[in-house]
Amino acid sequence: MFYEDVIVGETYASTRSKTVTGTEIDLVAQLSGLDLPGFLDAEVAKKWGFKDRVAPGPYVLACMFGLMAAQGFLSNALWMGAEQITFKAPVFPGDRISAEVEVTEKKPSKRGGGPVTYKWRVKNQDGQILVEGINTCLFKGKG
């Protein structure tokens, strides 16, 4: 989606969902250095009160970007920053997640395109909000 196509006040939802696997959690945790027991060991996670090990938060954020890029919303955008990221519930292996964004602001750039600010949410298969926040991305213009 190009800057000119983005509408303030509009909500855009992912057109598909993604199942988070234990293998993905293992790989992300190990590759990123987040190889902590709560991500890799179900028994440790259970001692912390979770039903199973949990996905690292940065991975869930990356999944949101991927889902919204596949939908088209972030297909011509670069991430500039985030605010107020709140993890409301964990993502477990086997959870199927989807994403949605609501555009709150856009500012045109002299070079074309411009920054777009949006609220975003990641939900699980039950519709429960797992993570939410506010991002700004630089959107490419059509010109």
Side-chain angles (χ1 to χ4, degrees):
M1 183 173 288
F2 291 98
Y3 176 83
E4 294 84 357
D5 300 321
V6 175
I7 301 168
V8 174
E10 190 73 26
T11 299
Y12 302 91
S14 57
T15 52
R16 61 182 175 92
S17 59
K18 177 193 183 356
T19 300
V20 176
T21 69
T23 301
E24 291 170 343
I25 294 171
D26 291 343
L27 289 170
V28 168
Q30 292 167 4
L31 290 171
S32 66
L34 289 171
D35 50 350
L36 305 170
F39 300 137
L40 299 175
D41 187 329
E43 293 309 312
V44 170
K46 287 175 184 175
K47 288 178 184 173
W48 292 350
F50 298 111
K51 70 177 185 180
D52 199 348
R53 60 203 186 107
V54 299
Y59 180 58
V60 178
L61 179 61
C63 288
M64 181 277 297
F65 283 117
L67 287 166
M68 293 311 299
Q71 183 271 356
F73 179 73
L74 293 176
S75 60
N76 287 299
L78 298 173
W79 189 35
M80 295 174 65
E83 302 174 39
Q84 302 172 12
I85 297 175
T86 305
F87 294 88
K88 296 184 168 288
V91 176
F92 299 109
D95 277 351
R96 194 176 67 250
I97 60 174
S98 60
E100 66 182 28
V101 303
E102 178 188 348
V103 178
T104 58
E105 183 179 11
K106 61 189 255 189
K107 296 178 183 176
S109 169
K110 293 178 184 177
R111 300 176 304 205
V116 173
T117 301
Y118 56 92
K119 296 178 186 176
W120 57 271
R121 287 165 223 85
V122 174
K123 297 179 181 181
N124 67 10
Q125 63 276 2
D126 299 321
Q128 178 184 19
I129 297 173
L130 305 172
V131 189
E132 62 185 359
I134 299 171
N135 285 353
T136 300
C137 287
L138 180 62
F139 275 67
K140 181 180 177 186
K142 288 183 179 179

